[in-house]
Amino acid sequence: MTAAEDIVGTARSLFGRGLTHGRTGNISVRTADGILVTPTGSSLGTVQAADLSLVDERGAHLSGPTPSKEAFLHAAVLRARPSAQAVVHTHSSYSAAISCLRGLDPDNVLPPLTAYYAMRVGRLPLLPYHAPGDASLESLAEATAATRHAMLLSNHGPVVAGADLTAAVDALEELEETAKLFLLLRGLPTAPLTEEQAAALA
């Protein structure tokens, strides 16, 4: 399967399962020629391989249609994480809802409610609000990605990198499900994993 086919298949899956909606969300994969990324204004439910854009490691447009206005964010995360080959950003409902709450710990938004969250996500930093496409987020995202493969953008949604697209989506899904659990359990006494238990799984 080519990188373009992988992106299109993943886009359809995310859209079909309601993990993104409308014309929100974007996906990128590192290739030998640059970073292949979904284009601006596209729906992950209908994007085609021919629609994909190619940008360089700084997010500059190389070829294809105009890239997502958040291509710089994908490039920043991939620069910070040489072992990562893919980045997924969605506006998933539960994660986006968490990103709108007051009183969150910006260094670690969600507790490790499950073992799989501890394994696939770990600590989740919350980045302050920036308008979509605001390039002033670039340096902060790059610095954050140097130590964390997942982050949550305030009033926006999650950004997750992975060794490949499957790994990035697995982590994103675990983040979304844990956000759902967090909201379902809010106000109830909970027993998340201890720091020691979470560290043993990280």
Side-chain angles (χ1 to χ4, degrees):
M1 181 183 294
T2 66
E5 291 169 338
D6 200 9
I7 288 174
V8 170
T10 298
R12 294 286 189 282
S13 175
L14 290 173
F15 189 89
R17 291 180 295 131
L19 287 164
T20 193
H21 61 277
R23 296 187 181 196
T24 66
N26 28 77
I27 300 170
S28 66
V29 170
R30 195 198 307 265
T31 74
D33 299 319
I35 300 167
L36 204 56
V37 63
T38 48
T40 189
S42 69
S43 167
L44 296 189
T46 58
V47 68
Q48 303 287 335
D51 300 331
L52 301 179
S53 309
L54 190 70
V55 301
D56 67 15
E57 65 173 12
R58 305 303 307 184
H61 188 197
L62 295 176
S63 64
T66 303
S68 164
K69 59 180 170 288
E70 291 168 333
F72 74 89
L73 180 59
H74 291 252
V77 171
L78 290 171
R79 284 197 307 273
R81 303 192 69 80
S83 63
Q85 299 300 313
V87 175
V88 178
H89 165 52
T90 64
H91 296 186
S92 308
S93 297
Y94 293 101
S95 301
I98 295 292
S99 80
C100 299
L101 295 176
R102 292 184 184 273
L104 298 171
D105 178 356
D107 295 322
N108 193 22
V109 178
L110 291 171
L113 294 173
T114 68
Y116 281 96
Y117 179 81
M119 286 189 287
R120 292 180 177 163
V121 180
R123 296 178 69 84
L124 180 68
L126 177 70
L127 276 57
Y129 174 75
H130 290 72
D134 182 350
S136 67
L137 176 60
E138 182 174 8
S139 59
L140 177 58
E142 186 171 0
T144 303
T147 58
R148 297 285 170 237
H149 72 284
M151 62 189 80
L152 187 61
L153 309 181
S154 290
N155 304 90
H156 196 158
V159 177
V160 182
D164 55 29
L165 202 43
T166 297
V169 170
D170 283 349
L172 180 120
E173 289 180 289
E174 202 62 47
L175 194 165
E176 177 69 357
E177 284 302 307
T178 302
K180 181 178 180 179
L181 289 175
F182 180 83
L183 291 171
L184 288 170
L185 293 168
R186 204 151 189 241
L188 296 173
T190 59
L193 275 64
T194 66
E195 288 187 16
E196 293 77 14
Q197 288 169 331
L201 296 166

